[in-house]
Amino acid sequence: MSHRTGGATKTDARPAGRGAPLRVLLTNDDGITSPGLLALARAVSRVATTFVVAPEHERSAASHAITLHKPLRATRVSLDTVDVPAWSTNGTPTDCVVLGVLDLLAKPPDIVVSGINLGANLGMDLIYSGTVSGAVEGALFGIAAVAMSVTAFRDIHWEPAADFAAELVGQVAEHGLPSDTFLNVNVPNRPAAEIAGVEITRQSTRRYVNRVEKRSDPRGRDYYWLTGSAETEESPAGTDAWAVAQGRISVTPLRLSMTYEELDPVLRSWTLPVPGR
Ligand code: MN
């Protein structure tokens, strides 16, 4: 077993063993009843042995939170429209991947897929996204991982994204992914025939603006509601937000390490004495 061993030499994200059936763990942040998760399970179960471990209710924007201060419970459930082993948990997407990999599945999966999320995960959404963090946790275990989202909140076309996920799972199984990397996929919300192509992209810097609404409750006390909308500035060609604006599926290769090498020489020119010297 090779989880959490770090380094580039481990055999993570390897192509599935010859003849061994591919095993895929699905999670999401919209909850176990999400139609996006069900569509994903139906599509992936056509190409792989599929397991679902997902939050019992929506945990969108949970980011990489884990549950440390209360018991975690996992309940075996039957899913609508698809017959695969499934568990509902009172945890976050990250908790779900941990429970799936370390306990619920008889052995770790070959691939983790998180989604299909209701709503895009583009640019700085990745910082907040529970969907993306489900994939990140897979990558932290040394398992090839993919986050899947559809770029709208209503009247969703799930099937094109689900079918693309099934194809991508086959490609990931065939080629593997390097250590400590994962894929973030955004599918434009339109019928398959109207999807303009597939673009390999980089993460944009798209972020949210106008994020706090202050209101008054019936007792006259202030309260806040976090809200906001994506900035409308157009993202540069080659980015995730640009690709979906062109009607293309965006596939972004990402890594877990956040080091920004270009800042290193700049910081070396700062004055940073050891305290007391
Ligand atoms: Mn969500």
Side-chain angles (χ1 to χ4, degrees):
M1 204 93 63
S2 64
H3 342 107
R4 291 199 191 281
T5 51
T9 56
K10 68 182 188 287
T11 57
D12 59 300
R14 63 206 170 279
R18 281 174 297 277
L22 186 65
R23 296 157 50 83
V24 179
L25 170 62
L26 308 184
T27 192
N28 76 346
D29 76 358
D30 294 332
I32 189 91
T33 61
S34 163
L37 176 67
L38 298 176
L40 181 65
R42 287 194 300 273
V44 171
S45 64
R46 294 197 298 264
V47 299
T49 304
T50 302
F51 306 86
V52 172
V53 184
E56 64 194 1
H57 63 256
E58 184 179 352
R59 303 301 294 260
S60 291
S63 186
H64 211 83
I66 53 173
T67 300
L68 295 179
H69 304 292
K70 66 175 187 182
L72 274 175
R73 310 277 183 188
T75 307
R76 189 67 190 261
V77 294
S78 298
L79 299 179
D80 276 348
T81 70
V82 59
D83 183 22
V84 297
W87 292 263
S88 162
T89 88
N90 61 337
T92 63
T94 302
D95 291 326
C96 288
V97 173
V98 171
L99 294 180
V101 170
L102 294 183
D103 189 81
L104 298 173
L105 278 58
K107 60 177 183 166
D110 302 299
I111 299 173
V112 170
V113 183
S114 183
I116 304 166
N117 190 57
L118 178 66
N121 277 303
L122 301 165
M124 297 305 162
D125 295 343
L126 276 59
I127 301 287
Y128 304 95
S129 173
T131 303
V132 169
S133 281
V136 165
E137 188 62 20
L140 284 167
F141 272 112
I143 298 167
V146 178
M148 295 287 313
S149 304
V150 169
T151 63
F153 289 102
R154 40 187 304 198
D155 303 323
I156 304 297
H157 298 275
W158 295 112
E159 299 310 322
D163 290 346
F164 185 77
E167 291 290 337
L168 185 57
V169 157
Q171 289 294 294
V172 169
E174 187 179 330
H175 300 289
L177 286 174
S179 296
D180 298 338
T181 68
F182 65 103
L183 303 178
N184 183 43
V185 178
N186 283 270
V187 179
N189 186 41
R190 47 177 79 183
E194 294 171 25
I195 291 177
V198 178
E199 200 78 36
I200 308 304
T201 59
R202 64 184 189 277
Q203 184 185 5
S204 64
T205 57
R206 192 191 82 134
R207 66 195 71 194
Y208 279 72
V209 292
N210 303 325
R211 297 180 46 208
V212 176
E213 282 201 30
K214 187 178 185 179
R215 297 181 185 174
S216 194
D217 75 13
R219 298 197 171 86
R221 294 176 308 177
D222 291 337
Y223 70 96
Y224 300 90
W225 202 280
L226 297 186
T227 171
S229 51
E231 65 184 7
T232 50
E233 201 175 307
E234 223 169 273
S235 291
T239 62
D240 51 13
W242 169 84
V244 298
Q246 307 298 310
R248 301 200 182 113
I249 296 173
S250 168
V251 179
T252 312
L254 293 164
R255 62 177 171 192
L256 302 185
S257 170
M258 293 193 281
T259 301
Y260 179 51
E261 287 87 354
E262 285 81 351
L263 197 51
D264 181 296
V266 177
L267 290 181
R268 287 174 195 279
S269 74
W270 291 16
T271 305
L272 296 171
V274 173
R277 286 189 210 164

